[in-house]
Amino acid sequence: MFKITEKSVKIGDDQIHIETGRIARQAGGAVLITCGGTQVLVSATAAKQAQATASFFPLSVDYIEKFYSAGRIPGGYIKRETRPSDREILTSRLIDRPIRPLFPETYLVETQVIATVVSLDPKVSPAQLAILGASCALHISDIPFAGPVAGVRVGYKNGKYLINPPEAELPESDLDLVVAGTSEAILMVEAAVNFLSEEQVLEAIEIGHKEIKKLCAVQEEIRSICGKEKRAVPSAPENADMKATLAKKYAKPLRDAYAIAGKAERKSEIDKIKQEAKASLVEEGNAESEKAFSYLFEMQEYKTLRTSIIKDNRRVDGRSTKDIRNIDCQTSVLKRTHGSALFTRGETQSLGVVTLGTSDDAQRSESIMNVLEEKTFMLHYNMPGYSVGEVKRLGSPARREVGHGNLAERALKAALPARNRFPYSIRIVSEITESNGSSSMASVCSGTLSMLDAGVPLKEPIAGIAMGLILEGKEFAILSDILGDEDHLGDMDFKVAGSKSGITALQMDIKIEGISMEILRQALAQAKEGRTHILDRMLHTIARPNDLSQLAPRIEQIKIKPERVRDLIGPGGKNIKKIVADTGCKLEVNDEGIVSVASTDGTAAAKAKRMINYLTTDPEIGEIYLGIVKKTADFGAFVEIKPGIEGLVHISQLAATRVNKTEEVVKEGDEIMVKVIELDRTGRIKLSRKDAIGKTPSNEGTRPWVL
């Protein structure tokens, strides 16, 4: 019944198994990828033909994590998977980015790739398996695809590189890098880095590429056994006369238009040239002629810009390949926020806004990897239409916004102070108010500036830069701080973020069939020069953290003995709830005895600290307490000075004069001032009333539990 093809390959310490022919046989191509207990089912399907009006390649890639794969039922009222989580969106992008450049530019048929995690082993991350599955499903299908490609994850711990490390180990790794490519070249890199050098990152990419070659080879073996014949691809529109006229008559006007520095003016002039050319070259009502013109004019734009850069070393706005646009940095631009900054680089601008909160403000979510995930650092990226002079409907963040925000978040996360030093939840919002070039890297810069403005003690300031590439044969030019046009008509979008001492994040996407390590090495070196220049401009504005914003909550930490945590909490949380109710402060305590007190009112915070100390510290000789008489006897009175802690006031210590009977001075239920005068080895406490008369108690205002 089934005609199954199977192959296995060892990658790092893991055996990866690929199977096709048993599941989803009606899809264009489908494979089941297995590694340990993790299994990902990936399908690739395309429509029969392109729609007549199609003007772009409609590729959709969806990665879905099924909760049944981890033996769990989704939480909440709706017990099924609904809208994709950020994690699923980001993994979908990881799959999309290396496969998209490998489709023919004239292939405009709607194509869909779906990767479903159907079984999960927590030790094996599904992301890199999904990239492999997407490539293999496309490679064995009839869909035209210049693969195969594959992806691996590379970690770095204790001086050693790790291939496809377990996800649980990544927090302790100095590198979380996903690299994808063909057997010949690199296509995509995505990494969070803990201040490693350019050379260390390059070595990780090279190590990853060696494993990629193995995965590509096994896909070729599978295709040789069961691959379908690829469908025909339409040739590019041809019109020799139109092409010649565009080159002869409109190349120079386009070259002059691309020399205009302003984005809006440049776009307006190019649109004017296009309309003039269309009017003279396209027969009205001739759809074939119009289609050819659209393609050939874009190719002329492509050639004009690239020739200007490669031959004349002249970019769109007149800069050289290494020049950075003008930079302006401002802080404290908003009056009532905890921290804010406006970062402007040429025509790209990000308004970064920081809000500080307690752990109650952490973002909590569930995934198949964790029952509950908690994030205390978040960066949210928004790019409204007005940032590019367009009208755009507002709604939930698109995949691009989620991806850009995640890249900037990873870049800044490495610089955050330790939680025991700065126990705040931090949210940054990057509002992109202008865009022409990398807005995600502008978000990194505004994020650094706004956190310093809010008083966050960063390990090091972080900046980001976007690099581009023009590759013509063996000639190439690497561009620092690319514009939107250079991104659109170029061959690479390579974003690098970090400090002066090392890289914290990078993301690379290639629009051609890969690049060499030589180009990658030069791009990283040039990126370091650029981000150092940007950092110098940022540090000229603000070089160190401001004092903590007066509008932010104050969080003070107290260390108590771990065995006294239960005394602070009290039965059913009674004690800690009382402190919160009486002071208005937020209290958090962990099993190690670290108590965090958060409040915008210094007086309230001081009172909360006194109440905590009252509940969790042992009495010391010389301390004065307002206590309550619990019992009287012939020889004195037993007085409770703390919940559950009593001491004896001997009859001789009740007053300065002789006392014949205890009840002459105190009765059960009385509140009296007492002083600790002795602590014996057995833990018994001796108190004095006469030595405490007229003194201020150390527990004043902190005795609600014994009233």
Side-chain angles (χ1 to χ4, degrees):
M1 182 176 184
F2 300 112
K3 189 176 180 180
I4 300 173
T5 301
E6 299 176 278
K7 289 288 180 180
S8 293
V9 59
K10 188 172 183 181
I11 301 296
D13 295 330
D14 298 321
Q15 196 77 15
I16 296 178
H17 183 78
I18 306 173
E19 172 199 309
T20 186
R22 181 162 61 107
I23 303 176
R25 292 172 295 163
Q26 295 184 50
V31 293
L32 180 67
I33 310 292
T34 302
C35 182
T38 296
Q39 294 177 287
V40 185
L41 175 65
V42 190
S43 65
T45 308
K48 298 301 180 185
Q49 59 187 21
Q51 294 198 10
T53 56
S55 59
F56 63 92
F57 175 35
L59 171 68
S60 61
V61 177
D62 293 287
Y63 168 84
I64 306 164
E65 295 184 334
K66 296 294 186 179
F67 274 78
Y68 61 67
S69 67
R72 296 198 1 242
I73 296 173
Y77 290 102
I78 300 174
K79 298 297 181 181
R80 68 178 299 158
E81 294 81 2
T82 53
R83 64 178 297 274
S85 66
D86 282 1
R87 175 188 167 93
E88 290 170 307
I89 289 171
L90 294 169
T91 307
S92 296
R93 285 170 57 86
L94 279 182
I95 302 167
D96 183 300
R97 286 157 48 200
I99 64 173
R100 187 174 288 272
L102 300 182
F103 292 92
E105 63 178 15
T106 57
Y107 176 72
L108 304 180
V109 179
E110 185 172 7
T111 302
Q112 183 180 47
V113 174
I114 300 176
T116 308
V117 181
V118 291
S119 178
L120 179 74
D121 178 346
K123 295 179 181 178
V124 182
S125 173
Q128 57 269 21
L129 302 183
I131 297 172
L132 170 64
S135 170
C136 195
L138 287 164
H139 199 45
I140 64 175
S141 74
D142 69 335
I143 300 168
F145 175 68
V149 299
V152 297
R153 180 172 248 125
V154 184
Y156 184 78
K157 183 179 178 183
N158 299 327
K160 294 183 180 180
Y161 292 97
L162 311 170
I163 298 297
N164 290 345
E167 208 159 312
E169 291 184 13
L170 291 176
E172 298 175 7
S173 172
D174 289 324
L175 178 67
D176 178 8
L177 179 144
V178 177
V179 56
T182 66
S183 59
E184 302 298 324
I186 302 300
L187 280 165
M188 185 273 292
V189 176
E190 178 85 26
V193 193
N194 190 20
F195 299 103
L196 297 183
S197 68
E198 280 74 9
E199 284 304 317
Q200 288 172 308
V201 172
L202 280 168
E203 188 175 356
I205 293 171
E206 287 182 308
I207 289 171
H209 193 221
K210 289 178 183 177
E211 304 299 319
I212 285 170
K213 291 178 180 180
K214 299 179 192 176
L215 291 167
C216 289
V218 76
Q219 292 180 71
E220 295 286 17
E221 292 177 22
I222 293 173
R223 171 156 181 79
S224 68
I225 298 170
C226 62
K228 299 176 183 177
E229 183 180 350
K230 297 295 183 181
R231 63 178 73 178
V233 179
S235 57
E238 291 185 12
N239 187 317
D241 291 342
M242 185 183 291
K243 183 178 180 179
T245 303
L246 284 171
K248 183 177 180 180
K249 186 175 181 181
Y250 296 100
K252 185 178 184 307
L254 277 173
R255 190 161 53 250
D256 294 340
Y258 273 118
I260 298 171
K263 176 183 174 181
E265 295 85 353
R266 182 171 63 250
K267 185 176 184 300
S268 176
E269 184 62 23
I270 291 171
D271 286 344
K272 181 180 175 183
I273 294 168
K274 185 174 183 179
Q275 292 307 315
E276 180 185 326
K278 185 177 181 179
S280 66
L281 295 173
V282 176
E283 300 174 23
E284 189 173 348
N286 188 327
E288 189 172 327
S289 174
E290 187 166 338
K291 187 175 182 180
F293 173 80
S294 296
Y295 174 78
L296 292 172
F297 187 86
E298 185 173 352
M299 289 302 100
Q300 185 60 55
E301 286 184 278
Y302 179 83
K303 183 179 178 181
T304 299
L305 181 141
R306 296 166 69 89
T307 301
S308 179
I309 292 172
I310 289 286
K311 301 296 184 185
D312 306 329
N313 192 31
R314 179 183 175 184
R315 295 172 63 181
V316 169
D317 53 359
R319 286 181 291 147
S320 74
T321 55
K322 292 187 177 182
D323 286 345
I324 310 296
R325 288 171 289 173
N326 290 333
I327 292 170
D328 181 81
C329 305
Q330 300 174 31
T331 57
S332 301
V333 293
L334 303 179
K335 297 182 182 299
R336 294 288 299 173
T337 59
H338 296 168
S340 62
L342 187 67
F343 177 83
T344 308
R345 185 188 62 240
E347 294 176 304
T348 297
Q349 186 178 76
S350 168
L351 175 64
V353 186
V354 169
T355 308
L356 302 177
T358 68
S359 63
D360 286 349
D361 298 303
Q363 180 180 333
R364 294 170 178 84
S365 61
E366 68 170 344
S367 73
I368 61 171
M369 299 300 293
N370 294 290
V371 175
L372 180 65
E373 293 179 300
E374 185 171 281
K375 286 178 63 175
T376 56
F377 176 63
M378 300 149 277
L379 191 149
H380 297 146
Y381 168 103
N382 300 312
M383 186 176 169
Y386 65 75
S387 65
V388 290
E390 296 176 358
V391 177
K392 176 183 169 184
R393 181 187 291 272
L394 295 177
S396 300
R399 289 188 173 194
R400 177 183 177 278
E401 291 174 303
V402 173
H404 279 35
N406 179 70
L407 175 60
E409 180 179 295
R410 298 176 95 180
L412 292 169
K413 187 176 180 180
L416 296 178
R419 288 281 295 168
N420 58 6
R421 182 186 174 197
F422 195 76
Y424 288 85
S425 291
I426 304 171
R427 183 190 185 222
I428 301 174
V429 176
S430 173
E431 304 285 3
I432 303 304
T433 47
E434 295 180 28
S435 182
N436 182 17
S438 178
S439 51
S440 63
M441 295 297 94
S443 299
V444 172
C445 299
S446 70
T448 292
L449 294 168
S450 57
M451 282 198 286
L452 292 175
D453 184 51
V456 180
L458 297 176
K459 294 174 185 175
E460 296 184 55
I462 307 296
I465 186 170
M467 311 297 292
L469 171 71
I470 303 296
L471 179 63
E472 291 288 341
K474 293 184 178 180
E475 291 186 283
F476 67 90
I478 294 171
L479 314 179
S480 296
D481 181 24
I482 56 173
L483 299 173
D485 287 329
E486 292 169 336
D487 182 10
H488 175 63
L489 298 173
D491 299 320
M492 176 179 76
D493 180 10
F494 188 20
K495 303 180 179 77
V496 187
S499 67
K500 290 186 177 182
S501 65
I503 296 172
T504 58
L506 54 85
Q507 183 182 91
M508 182 184 75
D509 292 307
I510 301 299
K511 302 172 187 177
I512 52 179
E513 294 183 7
I515 61 169
S516 67
M517 292 302 298
E518 176 195 353
I519 292 175
L520 191 53
R521 181 172 282 104
Q522 187 173 323
L524 276 171
Q526 194 167 315
K528 186 175 182 179
E529 292 178 25
R531 79 169 185 270
T532 300
H533 169 78
I534 296 168
L535 274 168
D536 287 339
R537 297 302 306 270
M538 291 166 59
L539 294 176
H540 183 74
T541 301
I542 182 168
R544 57 185 58 85
N546 289 336
D547 292 336
L548 193 69
S549 168
Q550 293 298 313
L551 299 170
R554 260 46 183 179
I555 299 181
E556 298 185 59
Q557 292 187 321
I558 305 169
K559 179 73 171 74
I560 66 174
K561 294 179 180 178
E563 60 268 23
R564 301 303 294 270
V565 169
R566 63 181 181 181
D567 296 330
L568 172 60
I569 295 173
K574 172 183 173 183
N575 292 352
I576 200 166
K577 288 176 182 176
K578 185 65 175 174
I579 298 175
V580 171
D582 283 6
T583 65
C585 299
K586 286 185 178 180
L587 262 65
E588 298 164 9
V589 59
N590 62 27
D591 293 339
E592 286 75 43
I594 303 295
V595 185
S596 297
V597 181
S599 177
T600 54
D601 184 339
T603 302
K607 181 178 179 182
K609 288 165 65 179
R610 288 199 305 272
M611 296 171 83
I612 292 165
N613 285 327
Y614 172 62
L615 287 168
T616 60
T617 58
D618 296 322
E620 294 184 10
I621 293 175
E623 287 185 333
I624 308 294
Y625 290 96
L626 177 62
I628 185 168
V629 178
K630 304 297 286 184
K631 182 181 178 182
T632 60
D634 293 341
F635 51 83
F638 291 94
V639 179
E640 184 180 64
I641 58 174
K642 292 189 175 189
I645 298 177
E646 296 181 6
L648 172 66
V649 182
H650 191 266
I651 194 168
S652 63
Q653 294 294 326
L654 284 172
T657 58
R658 180 179 175 80
V659 177
N660 294 316
K661 191 175 181 181
T662 301
E663 283 78 6
E664 292 176 1
V665 182
V666 297
K667 296 181 179 63
E668 192 173 316
D670 286 352
E671 286 187 353
I672 62 172
M673 300 283 290
V674 292
K675 179 181 180 180
V676 180
I677 58 174
E678 186 179 337
L679 300 170
D680 69 16
R681 293 180 180 177
T682 63
R684 289 181 296 192
I685 304 169
K686 293 184 180 181
L687 306 171
S688 172
R689 177 178 176 274
K690 66 180 182 180
D691 291 349
I693 293 173
K695 302 289 180 65
T696 301
S698 60
N699 63 330
E700 184 176 23
T702 61
R703 294 189 56 260
W705 297 275
V706 296
L707 295 181

